[in-house]
Amino acid sequence: MRTQCLKTGFTLTLMFAAFAANAADALPRVMILATGGTIAGTGATSTTTVGYTAAKIGVERLIEAVPELQKVAHVKGEQVFQIASENMSNEHWLKLAKRVNEVLKQPDVDGIVITHGTDTIEETAYFLNLVVKSKKPVVIVGAMRPATAISADGPINLYNAVALAGSKEAVGQGVIVSLNDEIQGARDVTKTNTMTGNTFRAPELGSLGYMVSGQAKFYRSSTRKHTSETEFDVSKLETLPAVDIAYGSANANTLAIDAFAAAGDVGIVYAGTGNGSLSTSVRTRLTELRQKGIHINRSSRVGNGPTVRDGENDDNKTDFTVSDTLTPQKARILLMLALTKTKDSKEIQRMFYTY
Ligand code: DGL
């Protein structure tokens, strides 16, 4: 009888071990590519939530600080670079995009998380949304409080991001930004508050869903093309076309756009007032610059609603394009990539209505 009980106990132990091993093998494999930001930041005290130093903690320490990651994925980490994201450049983007596309080609990678500063996270997300050539999830995550602060949001944001990047629900959804238990699409998300944890919103077009106890709950998808559906390829590019943004206001002048033209820009995004309105002097100068070959995209400083063709300007006459609902900072990204493909304004406008 005793021998039989021992045999049964041993068998059950083996079965449990096999089950546990199978469960572990079933976990998705997620690569974390670290770039810096507040999620890797340190402050002088535990109550320092502004005025801290971003981009101090390496990716291995970020992973070690959240042991729960091991319950939702097999995680590996790589430090691509370590910067505060206000310093993000076109060259950083090209390096990151090439690495993301390399990693996603690996059959033993199911998804990618990118840790990033929140200042330009929306721009990196949109850039990658246009140049990543895979349907595998790419989730960009940041934090509004440094790792050293009371109630730091980085650890839970990182946990959610890894769970999301390993989820089947996120496949084919394009590049995603996830903080504060929310799932935001790369095209429409923007930072709406300089300090608070719920800063990332898609104010009128809405988020894609929520993270609920590590589970992805999607309620909608983007209607615009992204990732493997786009026509853009940066794999052989070392630089991007020079495109800058000028900002409209009362008492507007042409100093900024003159400087951009003198510096050799091939495109200018103008963040006009209202529906992309231009003062008379600015309109005249932008029209002259267009005639010299610089592409002009009319956008708006307002932040919501479409900038519409031939509303505040006769765009057919001046040969300008409009940014639709893209913010000026995202219009710059699409105009740069468009100019790697074409100089035809009609083709560029098609791209603004496609992505
Ligand atoms: N310096 C800012 C950045 O790296 C800090 C903001 C943040 O990461 O939350 O974007």
Side-chain angles (χ1 to χ4, degrees), residues 190-192 203-204 246-249 270-277 298-307 312 323-329:
T190 189
K191 191 172 185 179
T192 63
E204 294 183 351
Y247 199 88
S249 66
Y270 196 84
T273 54
N275 199 298
S277 308
R298 245 179 357 103
S299 188
S300 171
R301 70 179 198 178
V302 165
N304 289 290
T307 302
E312 288 295 335
S323 66
D324 191 20
T325 57
L326 287 180
T327 55
Q329 56 268 34

Side-chain angles (χ1 to χ4, degrees), residues 236-298:
K236 296 180 177 58
L237 296 182
E238 294 304 322
T239 59
L240 290 169
V243 177
D244 284 298
I245 304 168
Y247 199 88
S249 66
N251 198 48
N253 59 56
T254 65
L255 292 175
I257 57 181
D258 287 338
F260 293 152
D265 276 15
V266 291
I268 294 174
V269 173
Y270 196 84
T273 54
N275 199 298
S277 308
L278 308 171
S279 70
T280 304
S281 65
V282 166
R283 182 197 320 278
T284 301
R285 189 75 182 106
L286 287 176
T287 304
E288 289 166 357
L289 294 178
R290 179 69 197 105
Q291 289 162 352
K292 291 182 177 179
I294 297 176
H295 279 270
I296 308 299
N297 182 264
R298 245 179 357 103

